[in-house]
Amino acid sequence: MKNIQLFVPTFDIDECLKEIRECLEKGWTGLGYKTIEFENQWKEYTGLPHAHYLNSNTIGLQLAVKIFKEENKWSDGDEIISTPLTFVSTNHAILYEGLKPVFADVDDSLCLDPDSVLHRITPKTRAVMYVGMGGNTGRLNDIADICRSKKLKFILDAAHMAGTRFNGKHIGYNADCTIFSYQAVKNLPSADSGMICFTDGELDKIVRMYSWLGINKDTYARTTGMNKGEYKWYYDVSYVGLKAHGNSVIASLCIAQLKHLDRDNARRREISALYDSRFQNNPSIRLIRMATGCESSRHLYQIAVDQILRDPLISYLNEKNIFPGVHYRTNTDYKMYSYAKGTCPKAEKYSTEIISLPLHMKLTDDEVNYVADQVIEYMSKNNTGA
Ligand SMILES: *Cc1c(COP(=O)(O)O)cnc(C)c1O
């Protein structure tokens, strides 16, 4: 029996190599060229007005917080409301910039609960950081409304959301900044890279400088009237920026992958629907609530089971050559976020109950059914009725 892994990225190898070959032939592997080509394709695909290609989503989250902080004169210790049920990048980005993550609880979509967010707003709250878990929008639009009415910035960690649409429209349209990930096992895998999409064009200009050490190539030419090409080294440095931009070799993979993203996501939804149909009337297996109107990228397929059985179920599946995952442990279990332990009971409970089942383009329906059979069999033998 072959192993059934959680994630297996699939590449159109010929298409990837064709794009990379163009970089090598041109002698251009760095910033520009394919990074700009992919930025333009991403804007076209998502309908978002701006897109800047970075070497990761994590650095994009940090740049979003950094630039909002500087431009809006936030102070150290100001608060950003965030979810404890996420990859640590989401919350580390807040700490990197000297702000404080204040955790709100999740609802049954595993995304932030708008009512809990409202309760966590204080005079120091500056923004909400939202994660669309597994590609699910949850109640993203309600949170966007709260941000608008309370004058908070809305930062969307869309690491799982490449290709997620809500009522037919690609997500990101109502956030102040949306950050995507093309990390090696995401639903649009490259090797490592990400995209930051500010709604405000001025902030897009700033992040382009910030992601390349703060270098401002425009000012010298503008202030002296000299030809930029002749005096390239006379650039100004406007910020103490980071080295965070993406490169043309990795952008080549993104360009090749974007061509089949919608087809891949459709297959992901088909696999998820098959799992749903197998589990839906099983009293010991809970499905995660999918928002109405959401066409999810389905980066993840998650279920929840009695917490006593969760880890033993994973061990049992491992014996059957199935290798699921858990997304995620509540961040309040980690020492830097432990100050908030107990403040988000639902997230803490889900953290002990959820399992992500194998979901990728190489899975056959037979394999999905085999995974479902094993889960159902284990639960029927061991269910305590809880
Ligand atoms: C993967 C992930 C990130 C980090 O993305 P990178 O591109 O690896 O930096 C951030 N947030 C969430 C929710 C993720 O799953």
Side-chain angles (χ1 to χ4, degrees), residues 56-59 61 86-87 89-90 131 157 159-160 180-183 186 192-194 328:
S56 73
N57 159 297
T58 304
I59 202 82
L61 295 170
T86 184
F87 188 58
S89 291
T90 317
V131 176
D157 178 351
H160 302 174
F180 296 91
S181 175
Y182 315 116
Q183 186 267 345
K186 294 288 158 51
D192 260 314
S193 59
Y328 294 89

Side-chain angles (χ1 to χ4, degrees), residues 235-253:
Y235 55 71
D236 192 16
V237 180
S238 302
Y239 304 98
V240 184
L242 307 175
K243 170 74 181 178
H245 63 77
N247 69 65
S248 287
V249 175
I250 307 299
S252 293
L253 300 177

Side-chain angles (χ1 to χ4, degrees), residues 257-275:
Q257 297 289 78
L258 179 58
K259 293 193 167 73
H260 51 88
L261 178 61
D262 281 341
R263 189 191 72 205
D264 291 0
N265 288 349
R267 173 64 183 150
R268 290 171 173 280
R269 287 190 294 276
E270 201 174 274
I271 292 170
S272 302
L274 180 50
Y275 277 133

Side-chain angles (χ1 to χ4, degrees), residues 52-71 74 93-94 96-97 129 155 177 179 196 198 203 206-214 240-245:
H52 179 48
Y53 187 63
L54 298 172
N55 62 35
S56 73
N57 159 297
T58 304
I59 202 82
L61 295 170
Q62 182 184 356
L63 284 167
V65 175
K66 182 190 275 297
I67 290 170
F68 282 134
K69 184 184 182 193
E70 278 199 20
E71 293 298 304
W74 296 348
I94 301 170
Y96 294 153
E97 295 304 318
M129 179 82 94
I155 305 171
C177 187
I179 304 98
I196 186 164
F198 278 106
L203 301 185
I206 291 173
V207 77
R208 284 169 191 279
M209 291 186 259
Y210 251 113
S211 67
W212 189 37
L213 288 316
V240 184
L242 307 175
K243 170 74 181 178
H245 63 77

